[in-house]
Structures are given as structure tokens and as C-alpha cells.
């Protein structure tokens, strides 16, 4: 059995394995149906059953305001992470040449529908404690396998990794579902007072606690009416779609890194030599200092290239709450990750990494195009609300724009 992916950078292992199984799930473009009729690369977007399209503003490039093309739509339900939540995610890109390398030319959208999950009440306090201890003792769930159904080595069967999991299950309690209103009791009804007259006008602030927040709400007046949303543009308004491909998924396996050579294991009389002699403080050392930052960037890109070379046909990498494989540490995203992800604009929660597209997706999306004027990014990273916020009435579906970070190809010097 391969070791855990957390041991990837460890040099203390004595055993030798053919491959490591990481916590990342890889997506591959497929011309053959995979059993998942929703997840796809390219093509026209489709919406969950009985769901209204997202607001029309989500379809437009933030730079030129023209409709964008679909890069990816993915069935992204995580029952272990968000019980009772149905989830889909989308990535769109602008095809206008003038918008390339500009913020807002690639956008991400999430659809969530939260269904209340009925939780069984424990018979007594002792039972509650026992259940809590049992839950805390369970091993951490494999989110990649839970989402995609990707199987570890040695498993059998033909389960589709990206097959939708269907309606939300009625498992354990959903922490995000609205709580039922508390039952009224005699203590909850205030007794009428003789000094109160029904004919006298009441002050809206009289029944509120004297807090800064309540006073601010009264001073601000009633909330503004909701902003009307523009409808999703008709299909003829969009550019020609990219070729559509099904998506198949597999767990990622990589070759373990070579262990450093132990000098004590060398034959007598043999010693290791430095690849380059140390500088004398003049031209050699100054040249090394000048290229120090570039060396760090090159190392990051080399790691990116080497990792993709292990499975060269991958088009996306999925690891909810994991870490992306950065293309560079020299750009704004690389220098500030993970602080580069802005908080959820709706609930204020921290965002987390969910998936990234890699250059293999460009090969598939532009396989019918000629020339070299297409997409020129190294990776597209999608960050989503860590709480999968879906406030509203139980069973209502919401559309949310999520954070997208793009690392562009390094231009030639």
C-alpha cells in the first residue's frame, strides 16, 4: 500500500514504493461517456435540473462586458463536508484578445442548494456523549473519493468518478440548514401592562435592546429593495463554444523523490564534490545574488512541470481545502498565496482552494483552432466559500460568484 501523501517530502522513509498516492484527484478529458452527464470541459453550460440560470452579469467579462465561453462545469457535491448541499461549479473565460492577462477575464460561479437534513435526537445525555466520541474517533474522510468516487489502488468496479450523487441525502444533521423556530412557551409571551394603550403610536426602537447595532439599523431606515438581476444572455450572443469533452477522474499517483546520497555509504577514498566552487566574493557571488529570486521562481516552475509530467494528460486537479500546484512564485498570486484569495463576498467567510485547471485543458479546448493566439495561462485556480454559504429559505438554490486566480505564462525575455 502506498504511503500517505503527507510523506511526500519526507526523507526518513526506509521502505521503497513504486508510486505515492496523493490526496489530489485528477480530471482527464474523455470522448467517451463516463456516466456523468453534467461535468464537462468546454461546450455550452447547462444548469442543474429545475434550476433557473444564474444572473446575466455572471456571463460577462469584467473588462469588456461581452459574454464569455465555458471552460469547465463540474458536479462538486461534498456530502461529507456539506451534508444536504447540492453543489455545481463553473469557470468561464473571455475570448477577446484585448482582455487577455487582465483581471476579470476569467470568472468562477458556484450553485448551491441546501436541503435540511433530519438528525435523530439522542435518547439521553449519555447517548449524546457516546455518539460524539464515536464521531470524533472516525478517520478523516477522503474528500476526493467522496466527491468523485475515485478509487484507491486494488479496488474494483466501474463506478463513475464524476457521477452526480443525486438528491441530498438524509444523513447527519446539516449545520448550515435553517433551524426551526423555537416552540412558544408561557414564559416567552410578555404579560400585558396597564400602562400600554393600543391607541397610542409605538416607537419602533422601544422593543429593541439599546445597542449600537440596533440604533444604527433604525437610523438607516428600511432596507433597500433587492437589485433586479439581468437575465442570462441568449445562446446566439455567446461566441462559438470550445469543443465539449466528458471528464473522467482518477486518484493521483506520483513517483517518490530520490533520496539524497549518504556520504558515509561511499566507498573508501571517494568523496562528493560541489557542482561549482564557492565564489571569491567578486563576480561569481554577485551573479548568484542577482539570480537568487529567479532561481526560486525557476524551482517553483520546475516542480510544476515535473508534477504534471507524472500524468501529462490531466486537465484539472481537485483537492478541496488543499493547496494548488503553483505555476510561479514570482507573480502576485504566487507571492501572496493563500492571502491572495479574498473572503466570501456574501457571508465574509474565508475562501478555500477547490480546484485548478492546468495547461492540458488548453490543449483539449483549442484542439480545433489554428495558430498560436489562444489562451496563455499556466494555471487557473478556483477558491470558494469555506462554508458553502446558501442562506435563504430551506430548499432554495443560490448562485454565487467565487474567487478566481490566474497565473499567466511567463513571457520571453
Amino acid at each position: 500500500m502506498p504511503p500517505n501523501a503527507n510523506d511526500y517530502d519526507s526523507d526518513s522513509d526506509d521502505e521503497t514504493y513504486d508510486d505515492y498516492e496523493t490526496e489530489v484527484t485528477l480530471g482527464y478529458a474523455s470522448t467517451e461517456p463516463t456516466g456523468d452527464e453534467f461535468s464537462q470541459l468546454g461546450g455550452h453550460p447547462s444548469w442543474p435540473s429545475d434550476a433557473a440560470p444564474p444572473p446575466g452579469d455572471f456571463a460577462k467579462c469584467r473588462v469588456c462586458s461581452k459574454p464569455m465561453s465555458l471552460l469547465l462545469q463540474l458536479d462538486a457535491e461534498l456530502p461529507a463536508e456539506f451534508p444536504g448541499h447540492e453543489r455545481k461549479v463553473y469557470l468561464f473565460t473571455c475570448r477577446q484578445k484585448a482582455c487577455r492577462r487582465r483581471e476579470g477575464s476569467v470568472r468562477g460561479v458556484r450553485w448551491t442548494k441546501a436541503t435540511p437534513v433530519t438528525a435523530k435526537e439522542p435518547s439521553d445525555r449519555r447517548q449524546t456523549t457516546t455518539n460524539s466520541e464515536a464521531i470524533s474517533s472516525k478517520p478523516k474522510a477522503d474528500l476526493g473519493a467522496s466527491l468523485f468516487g475515485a478509487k484507491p489502488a486494488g479496488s474494483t468496479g466501474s463506478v463513475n468518478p464524476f457521477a452526480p450523487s443525486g438528491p441530498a441525502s438524509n444523513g447527519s444533521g446539516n449545520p448550515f440548514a435553517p433551524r426551526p423556530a423555537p416552540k412558544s412557551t408561557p414564559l416567552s409571551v410578555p404579560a400585558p401592562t396597564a400602562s400600554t394603550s393600543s391607541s397610542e403610536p409605538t416607537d419602533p426602537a422601544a422593543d429593541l435592546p439599546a445597542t449600537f447595532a440596533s440604533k444604527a439599523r433604525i437610523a438607516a431606515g428600511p432596507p433597500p429593495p433587492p437589485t433586479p438581476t439581468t437575465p442570462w444572455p441568449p445562446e446566439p450572443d455567446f461566441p462559438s463554444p470550445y469543443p465539449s469533452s466528458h471528464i473522467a477522474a482518477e486518484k493521483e499517483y506520483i513517483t517518490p523523490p530520490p533520496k539524497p546520497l549518504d556520504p558515509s555509504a561511499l566507498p573508501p577514498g571517494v568523496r562528493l564534490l560541489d557542482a561549482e566552487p564557492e565564489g571569491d566574493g567578486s563576480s561569481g557571488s554577485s551573479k548568484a545574488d542577482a539570480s537568487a529570486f529567479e532561481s526560486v521562481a525557476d524551482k517553483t516552475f520546475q516542480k510544476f512541470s515535473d508534477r504534471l509530467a507524472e500524468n501529462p494528460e490531466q486537465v484539472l486537479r481537485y483537492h478541496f481545502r488543499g493547496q494548488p500546484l503553483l505555476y510561479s512564485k514570482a507573480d502576485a498570486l504566487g507571492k501572496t498565496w493563500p492571502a491572495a484569495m479574498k473572503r466570501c463576498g456574501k457571508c465574509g467567510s474565508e475562501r478555500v482552494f477547490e480546484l485548478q485547471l492546468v495547461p492540458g485543458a488548453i490543449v483539449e479546448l483549442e484542439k480545433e483552432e489554428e495558430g498560436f493566439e489562444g489562451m496563455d495561462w499556466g494555471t487557473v485556480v478556483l477558491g470558494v466559500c469555506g462554508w458553502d454559504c446558501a442562506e435563504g429559505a430551506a430548499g432554495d438554490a443560490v448562485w454565487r460568484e467565487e474567487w478566481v486566480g490566474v497565473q499567466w505564462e511567463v513571457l520571453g525575455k
Side-chain angles (χ1 to χ4, degrees), residues 14-30:
D14 295 330
E15 299 180 68
T16 301
Y17 298 91
D18 294 334
D19 289 305
Y20 280 104
E21 178 184 345
T22 75
E23 296 180 353
V24 177
T25 300
L26 302 180
Y28 297 88
S30 173

Side-chain angles (χ1 to χ4, degrees), residues 155-334:
S155 60
T156 59
S158 57
V159 178
N160 168 35
F162 285 85
S165 57
S169 60
N170 292 326
S172 59
N174 175 14
F176 309 102
R179 297 185 176 181
K183 297 181 180 179
S184 60
T185 64
L187 295 178
S188 63
V189 180
T193 59
S195 60
T196 302
S197 174
S198 59
S199 61
E200 296 179 0
T202 59
D203 182 359
D207 295 330
L208 293 177
T211 63
F212 178 83
S214 63
K215 294 177 180 178
R217 285 196 297 269
I218 295 171
T227 303
T229 58
T230 57
W232 189 263
E235 190 171 299
D237 290 357
F238 289 84
S240 299
Y242 289 114
S244 178
S245 302
H246 301 283
I247 300 179
E250 296 179 9
K251 296 296 294 183
E252 181 187 43
Y253 290 91
I254 59 175
T255 305
K259 295 183 178 181
L261 185 61
D262 184 4
S264 63
L266 296 174
V270 178
R271 63 187 180 89
L272 294 175
L273 297 177
D274 294 334
E276 295 181 0
E278 295 184 0
D280 57 359
S282 56
S283 59
S285 58
S286 60
K287 181 179 180 180
D289 293 339
S291 62
F293 182 77
E294 183 177 352
S295 298
V296 172
D298 290 344
K299 183 178 179 180
T300 301
F301 175 73
Q302 190 63 52
K303 179 181 177 181
F304 179 88
S305 301
D306 292 345
R307 192 67 169 266
L308 296 188
E310 297 269 0
N311 300 279
E313 295 182 356
Q314 61 184 284
V315 298
L316 71 90
R317 301 172 60 83
Y318 189 97
H319 187 189
F320 190 82
R321 296 193 192 278
Q323 293 294 326
L325 184 63
L326 293 179
Y327 177 82
S328 170
K329 284 191 176 179
D331 62 1
L333 193 158

Side-chain angles (χ1 to χ4, degrees), residues 8 18 27 50 75 91 98 100 104 119 128 199 242 335 348 351 356 376 392 412:
Y8 174 75
D18 294 334
D50 70 22
D75 179 19
L91 285 172
R100 292 177 189 167
T128 303
S199 61
Y242 289 114
K335 290 178 181 178
R351 282 194 168 103
Q356 68 183 118
D376 58 351

